[in-house]
Amino acid sequence: MEKNAAAPEKSISFPRHSSKKNILFSSPITPRRYETIDEEAPPESQDPDQDPNSSNQTATEFSLSELLEEVDRFLASFSEAKENANSDPTEDLEVPDAVESLSKTVESMINKYGHSLARFGENEDDDESFINAVTCISRISTMLDDFSSSSKTGATLNRTSTVLQRAMALLDEEFRNLLLLDQQDANAAKSDYNLEQSFSSKITSKLSSFNSNSSGSSHDSVRGQQPQPEPDRLDEFPSFSEESISTMNKIATTMITAGYENECCMVYSISRRNAFKSALNDIGYESISIDEVQRMSWESLQAEIATWISVVKLCSSVLFSRERKLCDAVFSGHKSLSESLFCNLARAVAIQLFNFADAVVLTKRSPEKLFTMLDMYETLRDLVPAIRDSYPDDIGKELISEAEAARNRLGEVAVSILCDLENSIKSDNGKTPVPSGAVHPLTRYVMNYLKYTCEYKDSLEQVFVEFEKTHGTPGTTSSPFQMQLLTVMDMLDNNLDMKSRLYRDQALRFIFLMNNGRYIMQKVKGSTEIHQLMGDTWCRKRSTDLRGYHKNYQRETWGKVLQCVNHEGLQVSGKVSKTVIKERFKCFNTLFDEIHKTQSTWVVSDEQLQSELRVSVSAVVIPAYRSFWGRFRQYLEGTKQAEKYIKYQPEDIENLIDDLFDGNNTSMMRRRT
């Protein structure tokens, strides 16, 4: 081919640049509407009238700063002509050679970075020169792009646009690689952690095997021994150095200034979402669908909920604030853009967390789920201030609304479960009395349930207030949760009264009521929260009821016994009748033996109540028997049948009373049947 012959037309591809670092995504930056030129055009493609060495001479004659000054003067002249002219200023304006020289200089810098002779961020002076040159090229391209391409400016527009696209592709790649460093560091740490735990697990397995073979002892499940990822492993999240953040800031600023804001934001957004997801996975959190939640056993779901609670707290207290700080640092000078990027990332995470809460709400309701639901409720409640502090008002309001909606749905489930407790009490209508008058299982269940429930007193107050507002329930002077608690206690009292009537022995009925009443009182007094809610008036009434049961027991059990040792009615024709005295001792012995035999099998598990009952019985029976025995035994002493009728000394009665309410072997055997 002759030297001055026209160059043949070629199909030209956009150059790709090699890198030692892995690329997760293909570059989103593609050529715009301008034709590109070869990275190194062949000599034949040059203008035949142009001196082959003129460009090299220009590049040699001018430094970069001088080129930038020359281009700045051209841009200023262009702007002035644009303001004063009524037509396209490009028709009367010559493009200086400095523009082409600057394009070649930028291409040379791109080739230097692209071929790994140097990396962006390693030399501040080189980076600053590159950014200044690229920014200048961007200004040229933007200015010329505002007008129809004339023969004078069309080539320059294509040339600068192509160089700019190559520069943006390089910065895009560098930006992506820097963002990937956080994930690579996290993956490396995770790999080291897994290797360490694998080694630890093998050692533990061998030790367990040795212990089992040598001693035959049993061990806990492997699941309980496995170490779980701890949130403190995220202490370094995100793990960018100050130098890396500074470099990313320079890249982002340059790309945004050059008009590549969308491309820059897309790379940042995708990379940070992947990094955030990886961080959550690292502490054991995986996204779970609604169907998966519905199929889980409650035990498995509880473990997932525990992780979810940790993640929400970690996000609200640590991760979101750190992510916001990183975003503000990388996009400093572009506040609205930084806010938008952070809010989009955090919102995606938050919505995923809210969806899990909604999935849990849809599971089958049961009493044991109440406390877990309340834990989740409190977690979302505490998340709202964190959202308010981290988000702009317009975006924060939307997320706060969604967080509160998810929280309120959990609250409604809590209300529903407590209402189901009422139904459980109502439906417990068994016809078999508890042996020995012991505390009924329903009493133990309800009181222990309420004890733990009242540990969430403040949250439940809020839950019931919100429920009343939502469902239009009329308000009350007292707290709605307190009213709910009183309702449950009244229902339990009514149920126990019904169960007490199953006993044929009235004395045992009152022992049953005392046992259960005392158990309830002890639980109320032992819980500050329940005691505050029930109030002193309720407690005084309960104490009065217990004293009433005690008196009724004494009357039903010991009334007839005391009649036997009454001093009245012993005389016949003015003299003490031995026959009547014999009958009285005989009646006392029979009744006392029967009571001792029966009531020593009854159970009073509360030691204080047991002692109080024995003391009260002794206080009534022993003085009456001692008086009768001391005054009237003389009428039978010396006869052959004295021991038959005077069976007990007063001390014997006192010892036998101490056997009452112990629940002896016969009682225990009855309870097993």
Side-chain angles (χ1 to χ4, degrees):
M1 178 182 297
E2 295 181 3
K3 182 176 181 180
N4 294 328
E9 294 182 359
K10 298 176 66 177
S11 174
I12 300 170
S13 60
F14 192 70
R16 296 177 64 89
H17 306 289
S18 63
S19 174
K20 292 183 179 180
K21 301 177 182 177
N22 295 327
I23 304 298
L24 182 61
F25 305 102
S26 60
S27 175
I29 299 180
T30 56
R32 299 187 179 179
R33 64 185 179 86
Y34 314 110
E35 294 181 4
T36 61
I37 63 173
D38 279 332
E39 179 178 339
E40 295 179 358
E44 294 82 356
S45 65
Q46 296 177 357
D47 187 341
D49 297 329
Q50 178 182 350
D51 185 347
N53 297 321
S54 61
S55 296
N56 292 334
Q57 290 172 352
T58 302
T60 302
E61 292 171 359
F62 294 97
S63 66
L64 176 60
S65 61
E66 291 172 328
L67 287 175
L68 294 175
E69 289 176 3
E70 180 68 21
V71 172
D72 283 341
R73 285 193 290 272
F74 163 66
L75 292 174
S77 299
F78 188 92
S79 296
E80 183 179 354
K82 175 177 148 184
E83 292 177 1
N84 299 329
N86 295 325
S87 59
D88 187 349
T90 59
E91 296 179 358
D92 303 321
L93 200 63
E94 294 291 338
V95 178
D97 292 341
V99 172
E100 174 61 24
S101 298
L102 180 62
S103 297
K104 288 187 176 183
T105 299
V106 172
E107 280 191 322
S108 175
M109 293 177 174
I110 293 172
N111 291 336
K112 181 180 179 182
Y113 285 126
H115 291 98
S116 301
L117 298 176
R119 303 305 305 167
F120 195 89
E122 291 181 354
N123 187 305
E124 279 193 38
D125 292 338
D126 289 349
D127 295 343
E128 185 177 0
S129 297
F130 180 69
I131 288 173
N132 290 336
V134 170
T135 301
C136 192
I137 287 289
S138 170
R139 291 172 59 202
I140 297 170
S141 180
T142 300
M143 182 186 68
L144 296 178
D145 191 29
D146 289 339
F147 300 92
S148 58
S149 299
S150 65
S151 58
K152 294 181 179 180
T153 61
T156 302
L157 177 59
N158 281 339
R159 176 74 165 136
T160 55
S161 297
T162 302
V163 171
L164 179 62
Q165 289 168 11
R166 286 192 61 197
M168 291 300 105
L170 170 69
L171 293 178
D172 176 277
E173 182 178 338
E174 293 292 337
F175 196 42
R176 192 189 312 276
N177 287 336
L178 284 169
L179 287 166
L180 283 175
L181 288 177
D182 186 38
Q183 288 177 264
Q184 291 170 355
D185 291 344
N187 291 336
K190 186 174 182 179
S191 176
D192 292 342
Y193 177 83
N194 291 337
L195 182 63
E196 176 185 347
Q197 296 308 318
S198 175
F199 176 77
S200 176
S201 177
K202 290 178 181 179
I203 296 297
T204 302
S205 176
K206 290 183 178 181
L207 289 174
S208 298
S209 176
F210 172 79
N211 291 334
S212 177
N213 293 332
S214 61
S215 64
S217 61
S218 60
H219 297 277
D220 295 334
S221 66
V222 176
R223 176 179 179 136
Q225 297 175 0
Q226 288 179 341
Q228 299 297 322
E230 296 293 337
D232 57 13
R233 293 180 56 203
L234 296 177
D235 283 346
E236 301 301 322
F237 176 88
S239 59
F240 294 112
S241 65
E242 291 184 6
E243 291 77 10
S244 295
I245 294 175
S246 176
T247 302
M248 287 191 289
N249 172 257
K250 293 176 183 177
I251 292 174
T253 301
T254 304
M255 293 183 72
I256 293 169
T257 302
Y260 284 75
E261 175 183 312
N262 291 338
E263 291 83 350
C264 177
C265 291
M266 183 174 71
V267 171
Y268 183 87
S269 179
I270 292 175
S271 296
R272 290 313 303 159
R273 286 193 185 192
N274 288 339
F276 208 96
K277 179 182 178 182
S278 178
L280 297 186
N281 291 345
D282 196 37
I283 57 174
Y285 180 76
E286 298 282 351
S287 178
I288 305 175
S289 68
I290 293 179
D291 290 339
E292 289 173 323
V293 170
Q294 301 302 312
R295 290 194 298 268
M296 278 186 175
S297 67
W298 177 237
E299 290 73 18
S300 299
L301 185 55
Q302 277 186 300
E304 295 294 338
I305 291 173
T307 302
W308 178 89
I309 290 173
S310 297
V311 167
V312 174
K313 290 181 177 180
L314 198 60
C315 285
S316 63
S317 63
V318 178
L319 298 186
F320 281 169
S321 60
R322 290 182 182 177
E323 194 67 38
R324 176 66 183 269
K325 184 178 179 181
L326 172 66
C327 200
D328 288 344
V330 173
F331 293 93
S332 63
H334 301 86
K335 183 179 179 181
S336 61
L337 189 60
S338 172
E339 287 182 347
S340 176
L341 284 169
F342 167 73
C343 290
N344 288 337
L345 182 149
R347 186 178 188 281
V349 175
I351 293 301
Q352 187 181 70
L353 296 173
F354 299 158
N355 288 341
F356 177 82
D358 287 340
V360 174
V361 165
L362 296 176
T363 60
K364 185 177 179 180
R365 297 173 186 179
S366 57
E368 68 272 12
K369 294 184 179 181
L370 173 65
F371 311 113
T372 301
M373 295 292 181
L374 290 172
D375 286 337
M376 296 180 71
Y377 175 92
E378 292 177 347
T379 301
L380 288 181
R381 180 194 62 196
D382 297 340
L383 177 63
V384 170
I387 295 176
R388 188 176 288 111
D389 293 340
S390 301
Y391 286 79
D393 289 342
D394 54 340
I395 300 176
K397 287 180 180 178
E398 179 185 356
L399 263 187
I400 288 173
S401 176
E402 294 184 22
E404 290 178 341
R407 181 199 67 192
N408 290 341
R409 285 189 285 271
L410 288 164
E412 290 184 357
V413 172
V415 171
S416 174
I417 290 175
L418 277 177
C419 290
D420 287 342
L421 179 62
E422 295 181 29
N423 297 329
S424 299
I425 296 173
K426 287 180 181 178
S427 61
D428 194 311
N429 51 9
K431 301 301 181 182
T432 303
V434 175
S436 307
V439 177
H440 198 282
L442 177 65
T443 306
R444 295 184 184 276
Y445 173 78
V446 171
M447 292 310 301
N448 284 312
Y449 193 82
L450 293 180
K451 175 181 179 293
Y452 291 116
T453 299
C454 288
E455 291 180 4
Y456 295 86
K457 179 174 69 73
D458 294 339
S459 295
L460 283 167
E461 291 281 11
Q462 186 177 358
V463 164
F464 274 89
V465 168
E466 291 169 349
F467 183 83
E468 286 189 349
K469 289 181 180 178
T470 303
H471 295 79
T473 306
T476 59
T477 54
S478 301
S479 73
F481 174 59
Q482 181 185 39
M483 296 303 297
Q484 177 67 24
L485 185 63
L486 289 170
T487 299
V488 170
M489 295 295 284
D490 287 343
M491 294 182 67
L492 178 61
D493 283 343
N494 293 335
N495 188 284
L496 292 174
D497 183 72
M498 178 190 69
K499 294 182 186 304
S500 73
R501 300 180 188 280
L502 297 174
Y503 294 99
R504 295 179 180 178
D505 189 329
Q506 287 298 301
L508 183 55
R509 177 192 174 214
F510 293 116
I511 289 293
F512 172 79
L513 290 172
M514 272 191 285
N515 270 326
N516 286 270
R518 186 58 167 258
Y519 184 86
I520 292 171
M521 278 292 291
Q522 294 301 100
K523 286 295 182 180
V524 171
K525 290 181 178 180
S527 169
T528 303
E529 292 80 9
I530 300 182
H531 189 269
Q532 289 176 347
L533 288 166
M534 299 308 297
D536 293 334
T537 301
W538 182 92
C539 291
R540 284 194 296 268
K541 181 181 181 301
R542 174 65 59 172
S543 297
T544 300
D545 292 341
L546 286 174
R547 287 194 295 270
Y549 300 148
H550 193 152
K551 290 179 180 179
N552 290 336
Y553 158 76
Q554 283 192 335
R555 185 184 67 249
E556 291 292 336
T557 301
W558 302 101
K560 293 180 181 180
V561 174
L562 292 176
Q563 289 177 4
C564 295
V565 292
N566 194 326
H567 292 200
E568 296 180 359
L570 298 178
Q571 294 183 352
V572 177
S573 301
K575 295 182 179 181
V576 175
S577 172
K578 291 184 179 181
T579 303
V580 175
I581 291 175
K582 288 179 182 180
E583 188 64 29
R584 290 287 188 90
F585 272 112
K586 180 180 179 182
C587 179
F588 177 88
N589 295 337
T590 301
L591 290 175
F592 186 83
D593 286 347
E594 181 60 29
I595 291 171
H596 180 267
K597 178 182 178 182
T598 302
Q599 297 196 12
S600 61
T601 68
W602 293 358
V603 175
V604 176
S605 52
D606 184 87
E607 293 183 359
Q608 184 177 348
L609 176 60
Q610 185 187 71
S611 177
E612 289 173 0
L613 282 168
R614 289 172 178 171
V615 168
S616 67
V617 170
S618 296
V620 172
V621 175
I622 293 176
Y625 181 76
R626 188 187 300 277
S627 175
F628 186 86
W629 173 82
R631 182 174 179 181
F632 299 107
R633 64 179 177 175
Q634 58 181 324
Y635 293 97
L636 301 180
E637 287 179 343
T639 64
K640 295 181 180 180
Q641 296 179 330
E643 293 182 359
K644 175 182 177 181
Y645 295 104
I646 307 175
K647 185 176 180 180
Y648 297 111
Q649 301 291 319
E651 293 76 14
D652 297 331
I653 299 297
E654 187 172 0
N655 292 333
L656 290 171
I657 287 174
D658 285 342
D659 292 338
L660 301 181
F661 319 119
D662 248 348
N664 62 19
N665 293 335
T666 303
S667 171
M668 296 306 293
M669 186 168 63
R670 287 181 183 176
R671 293 179 68 183
R672 285 195 294 269
T673 59

